[in-house]
mmCIF file of all heavy atoms in Angstrom:
data_model
loop_
_atom_site.group_PDB
_atom_site.id
_atom_site.type_symbol
_atom_site.label_atom_id
_atom_site.label_comp_id
_atom_site.label_asym_id
_atom_site.label_seq_id
_atom_site.Cartn_x
_atom_site.Cartn_y
_atom_site.Cartn_z
ATOM 1 N N MET B 89 1.965 34.707 -22.520
ATOM 2 C CA MET B 89 2.383 33.987 -23.623
ATOM 3 C C MET B 89 2.085 32.495 -23.601
ATOM 4 O O MET B 89 1.922 31.956 -22.496
ATOM 5 C CB MET B 89 3.949 34.083 -23.924
ATOM 6 C CG MET B 89 4.840 33.524 -22.758
ATOM 7 S SD MET B 89 6.545 33.868 -22.778
ATOM 8 C CE MET B 89 7.085 32.778 -24.222
ATOM 9 N N LYS B 90 1.890 31.841 -24.699
ATOM 10 C CA LYS B 90 1.659 30.346 -24.770
ATOM 11 C C LYS B 90 2.939 29.634 -24.764
ATOM 12 O O LYS B 90 3.854 29.907 -25.557
ATOM 13 C CB LYS B 90 0.845 30.004 -26.041
ATOM 14 C CG LYS B 90 -0.631 30.247 -25.857
ATOM 15 C CD LYS B 90 -1.519 29.157 -25.257
ATOM 16 C CE LYS B 90 -2.918 29.426 -25.227
ATOM 17 N NZ LYS B 90 -3.619 28.703 -24.162
ATOM 18 N N VAL B 91 3.106 28.599 -23.831
ATOM 19 C CA VAL B 91 4.261 27.867 -23.792
ATOM 20 C C VAL B 91 3.865 26.437 -23.935
ATOM 21 O O VAL B 91 3.217 25.921 -23.219
ATOM 22 C CB VAL B 91 5.062 28.008 -22.485
ATOM 23 C CG1 VAL B 91 6.304 27.315 -22.425
ATOM 24 C CG2 VAL B 91 5.336 29.543 -22.137
ATOM 25 N N PRO B 92 4.554 25.865 -25.015
ATOM 26 C CA PRO B 92 4.234 24.375 -25.187
ATOM 27 C C PRO B 92 5.093 23.615 -24.236
ATOM 28 O O PRO B 92 6.244 23.701 -24.112
ATOM 29 C CB PRO B 92 4.762 24.060 -26.595
ATOM 30 C CG PRO B 92 5.658 25.135 -26.921
ATOM 31 C CD PRO B 92 5.419 26.238 -26.014
ATOM 32 N N LEU B 93 4.431 22.713 -23.346
ATOM 33 C CA LEU B 93 5.148 21.896 -22.390
ATOM 34 C C LEU B 93 4.714 20.454 -22.600
ATOM 35 O O LEU B 93 3.728 20.123 -23.075
ATOM 36 C CB LEU B 93 4.854 22.316 -20.982
ATOM 37 C CG LEU B 93 5.159 23.694 -20.545
ATOM 38 C CD1 LEU B 93 4.585 24.005 -19.086
ATOM 39 C CD2 LEU B 93 6.669 23.888 -20.581
ATOM 40 N N VAL B 94 5.683 19.544 -22.229
ATOM 41 C CA VAL B 94 5.286 18.108 -22.125
ATOM 42 C C VAL B 94 5.422 17.741 -20.660
ATOM 43 O O VAL B 94 6.550 17.708 -20.115
ATOM 44 C CB VAL B 94 6.343 17.267 -22.957
ATOM 45 C CG1 VAL B 94 5.829 15.820 -22.940
ATOM 46 C CG2 VAL B 94 6.478 17.803 -24.485
ATOM 47 N N VAL B 100 0.955 19.887 -23.798
ATOM 48 C CA VAL B 100 0.030 20.929 -23.567
ATOM 49 C C VAL B 100 0.678 22.323 -23.722
ATOM 50 O O VAL B 100 1.852 22.425 -23.441
ATOM 51 C CB VAL B 100 -0.494 20.923 -22.058
ATOM 52 C CG1 VAL B 100 -1.792 21.659 -21.905
ATOM 53 C CG2 VAL B 100 -0.659 19.613 -21.606
ATOM 54 N N ALA B 101 -0.100 23.305 -24.366
ATOM 55 C CA ALA B 101 0.319 24.621 -24.410
ATOM 56 C C ALA B 101 -0.380 25.329 -23.205
ATOM 57 O O ALA B 101 -1.667 25.398 -23.161
ATOM 58 C CB ALA B 101 0.062 25.225 -25.694
ATOM 59 N N VAL B 102 0.417 26.041 -22.414
ATOM 60 C CA VAL B 102 -0.257 26.770 -21.253
ATOM 61 C C VAL B 102 0.129 28.257 -21.359
ATOM 62 O O VAL B 102 1.131 28.673 -21.941
ATOM 63 C CB VAL B 102 0.273 26.257 -19.945
ATOM 64 C CG1 VAL B 102 -0.218 24.843 -19.623
ATOM 65 C CG2 VAL B 102 1.837 26.309 -19.757
ATOM 66 N N GLU B 103 -0.737 29.016 -20.734
ATOM 67 C CA GLU B 103 -0.606 30.428 -20.641
ATOM 68 C C GLU B 103 0.347 30.608 -19.391
ATOM 69 O O GLU B 103 0.077 30.224 -18.312
ATOM 70 C CB GLU B 103 -1.885 31.005 -20.401
ATOM 71 C CG GLU B 103 -2.033 32.587 -20.588
ATOM 72 C CD GLU B 103 -1.653 32.986 -21.998
ATOM 73 O OE1 GLU B 103 -2.075 32.424 -22.990
ATOM 74 O OE2 GLU B 103 -0.851 33.949 -22.169
ATOM 75 N N ALA B 104 1.378 31.486 -19.736
ATOM 76 C CA ALA B 104 2.364 31.692 -18.571
ATOM 77 C C ALA B 104 2.964 33.067 -18.999
ATOM 78 O O ALA B 104 3.091 33.449 -20.169
ATOM 79 C CB ALA B 104 3.400 30.611 -18.395
ATOM 80 N N ARG B 105 3.377 33.803 -17.922
ATOM 81 C CA ARG B 105 4.117 35.038 -18.122
ATOM 82 C C ARG B 105 5.531 34.752 -18.477
ATOM 83 O O ARG B 105 5.985 33.692 -17.955
ATOM 84 C CB ARG B 105 4.012 35.957 -16.747
ATOM 85 C CG ARG B 105 2.704 36.449 -16.430
ATOM 86 C CD ARG B 105 2.850 37.488 -15.332
ATOM 87 N NE ARG B 105 3.877 37.189 -14.440
ATOM 88 C CZ ARG B 105 3.707 36.575 -13.260
ATOM 89 N NH1 ARG B 105 2.504 36.181 -13.038
ATOM 90 N NH2 ARG B 105 4.660 36.277 -12.387
ATOM 91 N N PRO B 106 6.194 35.465 -19.249
ATOM 92 C CA PRO B 106 7.529 35.120 -19.612
ATOM 93 C C PRO B 106 8.448 35.100 -18.419
ATOM 94 O O PRO B 106 9.506 34.391 -18.427
ATOM 95 C CB PRO B 106 7.968 36.294 -20.560
ATOM 96 C CG PRO B 106 6.873 37.191 -20.776
ATOM 97 C CD PRO B 106 5.648 36.666 -19.838
ATOM 98 N N LEU B 110 8.612 27.806 -13.441
ATOM 99 C CA LEU B 110 7.870 26.636 -13.833
ATOM 100 C C LEU B 110 7.038 26.069 -12.670
ATOM 101 O O LEU B 110 5.866 25.534 -12.838
ATOM 102 C CB LEU B 110 8.890 25.507 -14.313
ATOM 103 C CG LEU B 110 8.227 24.274 -14.752
ATOM 104 C CD1 LEU B 110 7.378 24.374 -15.964
ATOM 105 C CD2 LEU B 110 9.316 23.230 -14.947
ATOM 106 N N VAL B 113 3.651 27.528 -12.425
ATOM 107 C CA VAL B 113 2.723 27.125 -13.524
ATOM 108 C C VAL B 113 2.327 25.545 -13.337
ATOM 109 O O VAL B 113 1.144 25.306 -13.601
ATOM 110 C CB VAL B 113 3.525 27.214 -14.908
ATOM 111 C CG1 VAL B 113 2.717 26.602 -16.021
ATOM 112 C CG2 VAL B 113 3.770 28.725 -15.204
ATOM 113 N N PHE B 118 -1.542 22.931 -13.933
ATOM 114 C CA PHE B 118 -1.792 21.414 -13.860
ATOM 115 C C PHE B 118 -2.151 20.868 -12.649
ATOM 116 O O PHE B 118 -2.463 19.696 -12.500
ATOM 117 C CB PHE B 118 -0.377 20.871 -14.316
ATOM 118 C CG PHE B 118 0.084 21.230 -15.696
ATOM 119 C CD1 PHE B 118 0.807 22.419 -15.899
ATOM 120 C CD2 PHE B 118 -0.281 20.440 -16.812
ATOM 121 C CE1 PHE B 118 1.256 22.787 -17.153
ATOM 122 C CE2 PHE B 118 0.134 20.821 -18.025
ATOM 123 C CZ PHE B 118 0.908 21.902 -18.288
ATOM 124 N N LEU B 150 12.647 29.303 -15.607
ATOM 125 C CA LEU B 150 11.712 30.169 -16.263
ATOM 126 C C LEU B 150 10.940 29.308 -17.276
ATOM 127 O O LEU B 150 11.379 28.455 -17.984
ATOM 128 C CB LEU B 150 12.377 31.226 -16.994
ATOM 129 C CG LEU B 150 13.037 32.424 -16.189
ATOM 130 C CD1 LEU B 150 13.976 33.244 -17.165
ATOM 131 C CD2 LEU B 150 11.852 33.261 -15.697
ATOM 132 N N THR B 151 9.610 29.466 -17.195
ATOM 133 C CA THR B 151 8.606 28.552 -17.955
ATOM 134 C C THR B 151 9.058 28.509 -19.397
ATOM 135 O O THR B 151 9.121 27.395 -19.964
ATOM 136 C CB THR B 151 7.269 28.940 -17.660
ATOM 137 O OG1 THR B 151 6.973 29.022 -16.293
ATOM 138 C CG2 THR B 151 6.296 27.913 -18.370
ATOM 139 N N PRO B 152 9.375 29.559 -20.000
ATOM 140 C CA PRO B 152 9.658 29.460 -21.449
ATOM 141 C C PRO B 152 10.948 28.684 -21.748
ATOM 142 O O PRO B 152 11.068 28.005 -22.859
ATOM 143 C CB PRO B 152 9.954 31.055 -21.881
ATOM 144 C CG PRO B 152 9.140 31.753 -20.816
ATOM 145 C CD PRO B 152 9.248 31.036 -19.522
ATOM 146 N N LEU B 153 11.800 28.645 -20.764
ATOM 147 C CA LEU B 153 12.934 27.740 -21.023
ATOM 148 C C LEU B 153 12.679 26.311 -21.015
ATOM 149 O O LEU B 153 13.532 25.433 -21.399
ATOM 150 C CB LEU B 153 14.093 28.127 -19.959
ATOM 151 C CG LEU B 153 14.663 29.521 -19.979
ATOM 152 C CD1 LEU B 153 15.663 29.729 -18.949
ATOM 153 C CD2 LEU B 153 15.299 29.856 -21.476
ATOM 154 N N ALA B 154 11.498 25.946 -20.363
ATOM 155 C CA ALA B 154 11.023 24.629 -20.446
ATOM 156 C C ALA B 154 10.301 24.172 -21.673
ATOM 157 O O ALA B 154 9.827 23.031 -21.739
ATOM 158 C CB ALA B 154 10.276 24.258 -19.195
ATOM 159 N N ALA B 155 10.133 25.137 -22.574
ATOM 160 C CA ALA B 155 9.294 24.807 -23.766
ATOM 161 C C ALA B 155 9.785 23.501 -24.555
ATOM 162 O O ALA B 155 10.943 23.376 -24.871
ATOM 163 C CB ALA B 155 9.324 26.024 -24.617
ATOM 164 N N GLY B 156 8.865 22.795 -24.801
ATOM 165 C CA GLY B 156 9.221 21.575 -25.548
ATOM 166 C C GLY B 156 9.871 20.405 -24.828
ATOM 167 O O GLY B 156 10.256 19.292 -25.246
#
Side-chain angles (χ1 to χ4, degrees):
Chain B
M89 63 187 287
K90 281 274 182 203
V91 183
L93 296 173
V94 185
V100 196
V102 293
E103 194 60 45
R105 295 194 318 272
L110 185 63
V113 173
F118 295 89
L150 288 165
T151 307
L153 295 180

